[in-house]
Structures are given as C-alpha cells and as structure tokens.
Amino acid sequence: MTEVTRMLSAIEQGDPHVAAQLLPLVYDALRKLAAQKLAHEAPGQTLQATALVHEAYIRLVDVDKAQSWNSRGHFFAAAAEAMRRILVDRARRRQRPKHGGDRQRVQLDEACSLADDGAEQVLLVNEALGKLALESPEKAELVKLRYFAGMSAQEAADTLGISRATADRHWAYAKAFLYCALEDAGES
C-alpha cells in the first residue's frame, strides 16, 4: 500500500490530522491536473490552478463526509471530477444575469482607443474628459498624461506625485468612466 493510499484510508476512518499531511504528497499532481482543466477553459477565466486545487481538495477530504478511496488512482479520478464540477458551477454562475451573464465583455483599452478614430470621436472623448474633470480633476489629468501625452503609468504617477498603485486605480476608474460616457453619447 502506498503512502497516499494509506493516508486516504486513514481519512476514511475519520482521522482529521492525516488530511493536512496528504496535501503536500499529492499537491503537485493535483496542480498539474488543475492546470490541464483550466487550459481548456475560455479566455478570461479568473480562477487560478492553485485555487482550483484547494477547492477540490477541500471537497475530497471533508472529514465530515467520509468517502471511500480504493487507490491513489481512484482519488485522482475523484479529484478530476471535483474540478470539473467546480468549473461547471462557476460557468453557470457567470452566465446568470446577477453575475453579468447578460453582458458582453469589452476590453476598455480597445474600446477607448483613439488610434483610428475620427474627429467626431476625439470631440466625444474630450467632452467625456470634461465631465470626468468636473468629478475628479486628478483622474482627468492622469488620462491626459497617459492618453494624450503617451506617458506610461509610472511616468504619469511620478508627474502627478502619486503612487503607482493610486495611478493604476485612477486609470481603471477613468477608463470605465470614459467608456460609459462614450457609450451614453453613442446612444444619443
């Protein structure tokens, strides 16, 4: 009997301390299995292999729900099934309107790009930027530096005297604000 099979048997008998010892033995194999499962997911998947492993592991070695493992292979087959169920549950949850399932994902950098836009689009962006300046002048200044002056996030942060993390938060907010303003202007 292998060490993993022995530990699985001990967990089945109700020994809660063995579960903590099992994870280091099977972690690498479970992580590879999780990476394979996530490789087949659609782009935009936010679940990391590590989180998938941990969630599946918790489901597998729940001491309150005694499960019988015939072998190491049986355990890994059950792990694969647990991961599949977790991914399916997440996919179903993402499709619900409450979780944005009725919305289309748009990359804000692409949606706010001025590279090929005409004069009308530049005027719309300028108008939206004016609205942002009324609400938050510092965020509007950051947009001007990044969007029109072509500065990097770090250069713009240094110019404004703010941290890079603050600049990143302001940039994310400003992009969303401008995107919504441009969408509203497009509907008018």
Side-chain angles (χ1 to χ4, degrees):
M1 188 182 321
T2 68
E3 184 67 12
V4 171
T5 306
R6 187 192 61 73
M7 288 182 164
L8 291 170
S9 188
I11 291 170
E12 183 182 334
Q13 300 301 319
D15 186 350
H17 304 293
V18 177
Q21 298 168 358
L22 177 64
L23 184 58
L25 291 177
V26 297
Y27 187 80
D28 287 335
L30 286 175
R31 189 136 179 11
K32 287 177 187 172
L33 185 61
Q36 289 171 348
K37 292 281 184 192
L38 289 173
H40 299 296
E41 289 294 306
Q45 172 64 261
T46 57
L47 185 64
Q48 298 290 321
T50 303
L52 182 57
V53 167
H54 291 194
E55 193 169 336
Y57 185 79
I58 288 170
R59 289 184 182 191
L60 289 170
V61 293
D62 186 355
V63 179
D64 296 334
K65 299 176 187 173
Q67 299 179 29
S68 176
W69 310 107
N70 298 337
S71 65
R72 185 176 197 269
H74 182 215
F75 176 78
F76 283 105
E81 178 64 17
M83 289 179 196
R84 184 191 67 78
R85 287 181 182 174
I86 291 165
L87 292 172
V88 167
D89 288 346
R90 284 180 56 90
R92 285 183 180 142
R93 191 175 313 120
R94 278 193 317 264
Q95 287 182 336
R96 291 187 188 120
K98 179 179 179 179
H99 296 282
D102 57 343
R103 308 277 174 148
Q104 183 179 3
R105 186 175 294 264
V106 176
Q107 293 296 329
L108 290 175
D109 287 333
E110 294 170 15
C112 295
S113 175
L114 280 179
D116 298 323
D117 293 337
E120 183 180 329
Q121 186 68 21
V122 171
L123 294 175
L124 289 173
V125 169
N126 184 54
E127 185 179 327
L129 189 57
K131 291 177 185 175
L132 177 62
L134 292 174
E135 182 182 304
S136 180
E138 189 175 60
K139 291 178 180 107
E141 194 60 35
L142 177 70
V143 171
K144 291 175 190 174
L145 293 173
R146 299 252 352 245
Y147 201 65
F148 294 107
M151 288 186 176
S152 70
Q154 188 62 56
E155 291 169 336
D158 292 343
T159 301
L160 293 173
I162 59 177
S163 71
R164 171 65 190 269
T166 299
D168 289 341
R169 283 192 308 274
H170 286 354
W171 180 243
Y173 177 87
K175 287 191 305 183
F177 182 95
L178 292 173
Y179 178 76
C180 290
L182 291 172
E183 283 290 307
D184 290 344
E187 292 175 6
S188 309

